[in-house]
Short mmCIF file of all heavy atoms in Angstrom, two decimals:
data_model
loop_
_atom_site.label_atom_id
_atom_site.label_comp_id
_atom_site.label_asym_id
_atom_site.label_seq_id
_atom_site.Cartn_x
_atom_site.Cartn_y
_atom_site.Cartn_z
N PHE Q 45 85.98 86.45 69.59
CA PHE Q 45 85.25 85.70 70.62
C PHE Q 45 84.21 84.81 69.96
O PHE Q 45 84.03 83.65 70.38
CB PHE Q 45 84.57 86.70 71.59
CG PHE Q 45 85.45 87.19 72.70
CD1 PHE Q 45 86.25 88.29 72.48
CD2 PHE Q 45 85.54 86.50 73.92
CE1 PHE Q 45 87.11 88.77 73.49
CE2 PHE Q 45 86.32 86.95 74.93
CZ PHE Q 45 87.16 88.07 74.72
N GLU Q 67 66.09 86.17 82.35
CA GLU Q 67 66.22 85.12 81.32
C GLU Q 67 67.67 85.08 80.82
O GLU Q 67 68.27 83.99 80.66
CB GLU Q 67 65.25 85.47 80.16
CG GLU Q 67 65.36 84.45 79.00
CD GLU Q 67 64.43 84.78 77.87
OE1 GLU Q 67 63.81 85.83 77.92
OE2 GLU Q 67 64.39 84.01 76.90
N ILE Q 117 83.13 78.62 91.06
CA ILE Q 117 83.35 79.48 89.87
C ILE Q 117 84.82 79.85 89.81
O ILE Q 117 85.39 80.35 90.79
CB ILE Q 117 82.49 80.74 89.91
CG1 ILE Q 117 81.00 80.38 89.94
CG2 ILE Q 117 82.81 81.65 88.74
CD1 ILE Q 117 80.07 81.53 90.30
N ARG Q 144 103.86 121.40 83.25
CA ARG Q 144 102.60 122.08 82.99
C ARG Q 144 102.20 122.02 81.48
O ARG Q 144 101.77 122.97 80.86
CB ARG Q 144 102.63 123.51 83.47
CG ARG Q 144 102.80 123.68 84.95
CD ARG Q 144 102.85 125.12 85.46
NE ARG Q 144 101.64 125.83 85.17
CZ ARG Q 144 100.58 125.83 85.95
NH1 ARG Q 144 100.57 125.10 87.08
NH2 ARG Q 144 99.48 126.52 85.64
N ALA Q 168 114.53 115.71 86.34
CA ALA Q 168 115.75 114.92 86.44
C ALA Q 168 116.41 115.09 87.81
O ALA Q 168 116.41 116.19 88.39
CB ALA Q 168 116.75 115.35 85.35
N PHE Q 252 104.70 116.15 94.27
CA PHE Q 252 103.67 115.82 93.34
C PHE Q 252 103.12 114.40 93.63
O PHE Q 252 103.90 113.48 93.90
CB PHE Q 252 104.18 115.82 91.88
CG PHE Q 252 104.62 117.18 91.41
CD1 PHE Q 252 105.93 117.56 91.48
CD2 PHE Q 252 103.66 118.04 90.85
CE1 PHE Q 252 106.33 118.83 91.05
CE2 PHE Q 252 104.07 119.28 90.40
CZ PHE Q 252 105.35 119.69 90.48
#
Side-chain angles (χ1 to χ4, degrees):
F45 277 87
E67 180 182 4
I117 299 168
R144 296 181 63 85
F252 295 94

